Amino acid sequence: MSFLPTTRKEMERLGWDQADIIIFSGDAYVDHPSFATAVIGRTLEAEGYRVAVVPQPDWHGDFRDFRKLGKPRLFFAVSPGCMDSMVNKYTANRRLRSEDAYTPDGRFDKRPEYPTIVYTHILKELYPGIPVIIGGIEASMRRLTHYDYWQDRLRPSILVDSHADILIYGMGEQPITEIARLYHESPSDLTARLRSVPQTAHLAPAGLTLSHEAVMLHSHEECVASKRSQAENFRLIEEQSNRLDAKTLIQQVGSHLVVVNPPFPPMSQGELDRSFDLPYTRLPHPRYKGKTIPAYEMIKFSVNLHRGCFGGCSFCTISAHQGKFVCSRSKDSIMREVRKVIAMPDFKGYISDLGGPSANMYSMCGKDRGLCAICRRPSCIFPNVCKNLNNDHAPLLDIYRSVDSLPGIKKSFIGSGVRYDLLMSDRESGMRYARELIVNHVSGRLKVAPEHTEDNVVRMMRKPPFRLFYDFKRIFDDICRQNRLRQQIIPYFISAHPGCKEEDMSRLAEKTRKLGFRLEQVQEFTPTPMTLSTEMYYTGLDPYTLEPVFSAHSDKEKQAQHKHFFWYKQNDSGRH
C-alpha cells in the first residue's frame, strides 16, 4: 500500500523531481476518508497530479519543513486541520487543552494558533511567486467578517489576514479539482477564470464592476462599528448558504472586496462514491510507527454513510460547511468500505459507527426538488419537520442489516448522534428504526442531544421541545424492557447558550434529576465562527428578528450556570 509522499526521499522513490501540488496540513497525515488532507490529496492524485503532504510543519526557526520539498509545479494547498485550530487548542474558558487528538500521542504543541494564516505567511515569504490555496473548516468558517471568541473581536475574512490567493469553502473536492485543472492548462485569462470557480472566495479591487445579482453585505468596517450590521449580514449569509440557487456574496474590507462565489451543486451519489472509493490505506503514515493518534483510534473501524445535515442547529457548523442538502453514498460503496474494514489485520468484528453528521439522515431529501430550490429555511426539521421531506428510515435499516449479514461482522454500532425528533416524525419506519437501533446497535449507552429542557432556550438552539425527549425515553425504556436489555440513554446538554439564564439551568437540573440522570455529557457553550449562536452571543441580537437576546459573558455568570449540571455532587458532598 502506498501513501502520498511526505519527504524528499519518498518523492525520489516514486521517480519525482517535483510535486505538482504540496499540501501543508495542521493534522497528522492519516490516509483515511475521514481526514481532509487524505481526501483532497487522493482526489487530486486520481486526476493525475503528483501530490505531496507536509504534515504539522515546524513553524519556528529556519522553516526547514517548508523548504524540504521545494516548489510545487502548480500551487501550495493549506489544510489547517479537521477542527478549527482555536477550538482544538482551547477550552470554552480559553484554557489550553492538554491533548490534540489529531497529533501523534496527543501532543498539544504541534500546531500554531490559526495555522492557515501562519503557514500561508511562511509560504508567501519563501516562495513569493507560487499561489497558495486555503481551505478546510478554519478557512470555510472565516471566509467573511466573523467574531473571534479567543480575541473577543470581529476579524475580517481570513483571506485578508492570510494573503492567500484563493479560499475554498465547504467540502473541497470539486473546487480544488477545477482550480488544479485551470493552473495546469495555464490559459491566458487564468486570473478571471480562477475567480469564477464556484465555492471559492477571493479578494478584488473595491472599484470592480460586479454582477447586479450579487448580494452586497455591510462592509467589515460597518460591522465593527455596528453589531446590528453584523447580525443583518449573518442572516443573508446563512440564507444564501442554504439555497440551491445561491447568489454571490460581496463584502468590502478596506480597499478590497471579498467575493464569495456560490457553491457547486450538491455532489451526486456517484461523485460521493468516487471520493470514498479512492485508494486510501485507512492507516496513519508509517512515520508515526509506535505512536497513537487519538482521533484515528476513534474512527478506524467506522464508516461514514452520508454528508450534509438539514438539522440547522444554531451552534453547529456542519450545515455551513458540508451543506444542508444530504448526499448519501450508494449501498455498494458502503459495503465495499465495510469489507475493507473487515480485512484490516486488527479488526475484531465490531464496526464502531455506521453514521454521519446525524446518524439517521441517510438517503433523506426533498420529495419535490423544485420546492427545495426556492426554500430559504436553514433547517428542514425546525420548528417542525418539513412536509416535503422524505424521512423514510427504510434505506438506512437496509444498510444496517446488510452490513450485519457480512461474514466477519459480529456487531455494528451507531456512534453518531441520532435525531430522535426525526425518527418520531415518521411513526411507521421511524419506530422500526428505533427498535432496530436500540436492540441491535447500541453498546450499552445511547447518546442523544436534547441540549436543554426549557422551550425558550431550545428555540434559540433550533432544537425540538424537551417533551419529545420524554416521549423518546418512554419508547427507549419500553423497548429495553421488552427485550430484557440493561441499556442507558445518555443525554447531551449545553449551558450558557444565548437565551439561557441561570433560572433556566435550575429548571434543567430539577427536570433531569426527576428523570434519574446524573449528567456526564455536558459542555459550556463555545462561540465558534459563522454560527447563529455565535452571532447572538456577540451582537446580543437574534439576526432573524433583531430582537435582544441575553447571553452569559462573564466567567462568573457561566460558572453559575454550569454548576447546575452537577447538583448531585453538591448534594453528595453535603452528606459527608
Side-chain angles (χ1 to χ4, degrees):
M1 292 185 290
S2 63
F3 292 80
L4 300 174
T6 64
T7 64
R8 175 64 69 177
K9 285 185 178 180
E10 290 172 50
M11 286 173 56
E12 290 171 353
R13 282 199 292 268
L14 293 170
W16 300 2
D17 57 353
Q18 184 182 34
D20 295 323
I21 298 152
I22 301 174
I23 302 174
F24 281 80
S25 171
D27 290 342
Y29 172 32
V30 180
D31 193 39
H32 187 285
S34 292
F35 290 78
T37 296
V39 173
I40 296 302
R42 290 298 188 185
T43 296
L44 291 166
E45 178 191 52
E47 296 295 318
Y49 299 106
R50 293 178 172 182
V51 184
V53 176
V54 181
Q56 300 189 311
D58 185 351
W59 68 99
H60 306 92
D62 61 3
F63 304 146
R64 66 183 62 186
D65 285 347
F66 291 86
R67 301 174 187 271
K68 65 182 181 181
L69 301 187
K71 296 180 180 179
R73 183 174 67 88
L74 300 179
F75 57 81
F76 290 110
V78 171
S79 175
C82 292
M83 290 177 63
D84 184 276
S85 66
M86 301 305 283
V87 178
N88 197 26
K89 288 182 76 72
Y90 295 97
T91 69
N93 294 319
R94 298 187 178 95
R95 294 195 181 105
L96 193 65
R97 295 187 191 274
S98 59
E99 180 184 85
D100 181 337
Y102 293 88
T103 297
D105 292 338
R107 283 186 57 173
F108 63 87
D109 59 349
K110 296 292 286 183
R111 79 175 80 222
E113 296 179 358
Y114 312 105
T116 302
I117 296 171
V118 173
Y119 295 170
T120 304
H121 281 183
I122 294 170
L123 292 169
K124 284 293 185 182
E125 178 185 334
L126 296 177
Y127 308 101
I130 305 297
V132 179
I133 315 302
I134 60 175
I137 191 75
E138 186 166 80
S140 188
M141 298 297 100
R142 297 169 183 267
R143 59 188 183 261
L144 290 158
T145 294
H146 57 278
Y147 174 66
D148 188 294
Y149 171 67
W150 298 272
Q151 295 188 349
D152 192 25
R153 68 182 179 97
L154 284 189
R155 295 187 63 156
S157 167
I158 199 168
L159 276 168
V160 174
D161 286 336
S162 68
H163 308 300
D165 294 88
I166 302 172
L167 179 152
I168 291 174
Y169 66 92
M171 308 304 281
E173 294 103 318
Q174 293 163 297
I176 196 69
T177 300
E178 180 65 9
I179 288 169
R181 183 183 68 80
L182 291 172
Y183 274 116
H184 176 67
E185 293 176 355
S186 299
S188 56
D189 59 345
L190 177 62
T191 300
R193 294 181 67 184
L194 283 168
R195 288 183 168 181
S196 67
V197 174
Q199 211 167 305
T200 65
H202 63 272
L203 292 178
L208 187 71
T209 302
L210 302 164
S211 166
H212 67 279
E213 293 188 353
V215 174
M216 182 63 76
L217 303 171
H218 294 295
S219 71
H220 173 70
E221 290 75 16
E222 288 174 318
C223 292
V224 170
S226 164
K227 291 183 176 180
R228 183 186 177 101
S229 294
Q230 176 67 9
E232 289 174 345
N233 270 8
F234 179 81
R235 178 174 180 174
L236 292 170
I237 294 166
E238 185 175 54
E239 285 180 344
Q240 293 303 318
S241 296
N242 287 315
R243 296 191 64 171
L244 284 173
D245 61 342
K247 300 182 186 303
T248 300
L249 296 173
I250 298 170
Q251 182 182 38
Q252 185 162 350
V253 182
S255 60
H256 288 87
L257 299 177
V258 178
V259 182
V260 181
N261 294 333
F264 275 92
M267 293 177 79
S268 67
Q269 185 172 85
E271 288 170 331
L272 187 60
D273 282 356
R274 281 194 290 277
S275 181
F276 277 91
D277 289 346
L278 293 168
Y280 304 100
T281 64
R282 297 186 63 86
L283 299 169
H285 190 277
R287 65 192 286 146
Y288 308 121
K289 185 177 180 181
K291 297 181 179 180
T292 298
I293 300 172
Y296 171 69
E297 295 301 317
M298 288 178 61
I299 57 84
K300 66 189 294 187
F301 300 133
S302 70
V303 176
N304 197 333
L305 308 185
H306 69 271
R307 283 187 188 167
C309 178
F310 48 71
C313 297
S314 299
F315 48 82
C316 184
T317 61
I318 291 173
S319 62
H321 185 65
Q322 292 196 10
K324 180 178 79 170
F325 299 97
V326 168
C327 177
S328 301
R329 300 170 65 183
S330 69
K331 180 179 176 180
D332 286 345
S333 175
I334 293 167
M335 298 301 280
R336 281 194 294 273
E337 186 174 358
V338 173
R339 291 187 180 96
K340 288 181 182 178
V341 174
I342 293 171
M344 293 176 72
D346 51 348
F347 181 66
K348 306 299 183 186
Y350 299 96
I351 299 286
S352 61
D353 187 21
L354 286 174
S358 284
N360 56 320
M361 288 185 183
Y362 176 78
S363 84
M364 294 183 183
C365 59
K367 300 169 190 173
D368 182 345
R369 198 70 164 179
L371 292 178
C372 293
I374 60 174
C375 177
R376 294 192 181 192
R377 281 179 57 169
S379 171
C380 300
I381 53 179
F382 178 87
N384 46 55
V385 176
C386 177
K387 293 180 180 178
N388 188 46
L389 179 67
N390 173 11
N391 59 345
D392 185 4
H393 286 73
L396 185 54
L397 286 169
D398 178 53
I399 295 293
Y400 290 176
R401 291 162 183 164
S402 297
V403 168
D404 286 354
S405 70
L406 288 174
I409 295 292
K410 296 177 182 177
K411 201 173 186 67
S412 61
F413 297 109
I414 311 307
S416 303
V418 174
R419 289 297 300 239
Y420 56 85
D421 52 336
L422 183 58
L423 70 87
M424 291 175 68
S425 70
D426 177 13
R427 288 288 174 174
E428 188 174 340
S429 74
M431 290 306 99
R432 286 201 303 271
Y433 176 81
R435 183 170 296 277
E436 172 72 18
L437 170 73
I438 294 164
V439 173
N440 296 318
H441 302 281
V442 175
S443 59
R445 311 175 99 198
L446 176 64
K447 297 175 182 178
V448 296
E451 306 296 8
H452 213 285
T453 61
E454 302 310 291
D455 288 347
N456 58 299
V457 181
V458 293
R459 276 196 301 271
M460 292 293 178
M461 295 175 163
R462 291 184 183 151
K463 296 290 286 188
F466 195 62
R467 59 178 172 76
L468 278 183
F469 178 79
Y470 284 120
D471 294 341
F472 180 70
K473 186 175 185 304
R474 280 194 292 269
I475 292 168
F476 179 88
D477 291 341
D478 287 346
I479 292 173
C480 287
R481 186 167 50 253
Q482 292 163 11
N483 292 272
R484 298 181 180 179
L485 299 171
R486 295 177 60 84
Q487 297 189 150
Q488 294 176 286
I489 190 166
I490 305 297
Y492 282 70
F493 290 100
I494 296 176
S495 65
H497 186 276
C500 180
K501 299 181 179 179
E502 189 176 353
E503 52 262 39
D504 296 310
M505 293 302 300
S506 178
R507 287 190 284 268
L508 180 152
E510 180 62 17
K511 289 178 181 179
T512 54
R513 184 188 65 79
K514 288 181 178 178
L515 285 167
F517 290 124
R518 292 194 169 206
L519 301 180
E520 304 171 17
Q521 301 294 334
V522 299
Q523 61 179 313
E524 182 182 300
F525 168 66
T526 304
T528 57
M530 207 172 167
T531 69
L532 174 61
S533 301
T534 297
E535 298 302 326
M536 291 191 288
Y537 175 89
Y538 168 70
T539 66
L541 300 170
D542 180 337
Y544 283 80
T545 65
L546 297 179
E547 294 178 354
V549 177
F550 169 81
S551 289
H553 277 258
S554 71
D555 289 343
K556 183 178 179 181
E557 288 176 312
K558 293 177 183 179
Q559 289 165 8
Q561 289 203 22
H562 198 70
K563 71 180 183 183
H564 286 282
F565 285 138
F566 306 108
W567 57 266
Y568 55 90
K569 292 185 179 180
Q570 298 165 32
N571 290 353
D572 289 349
S573 63
R575 283 195 287 266
H576 290 296

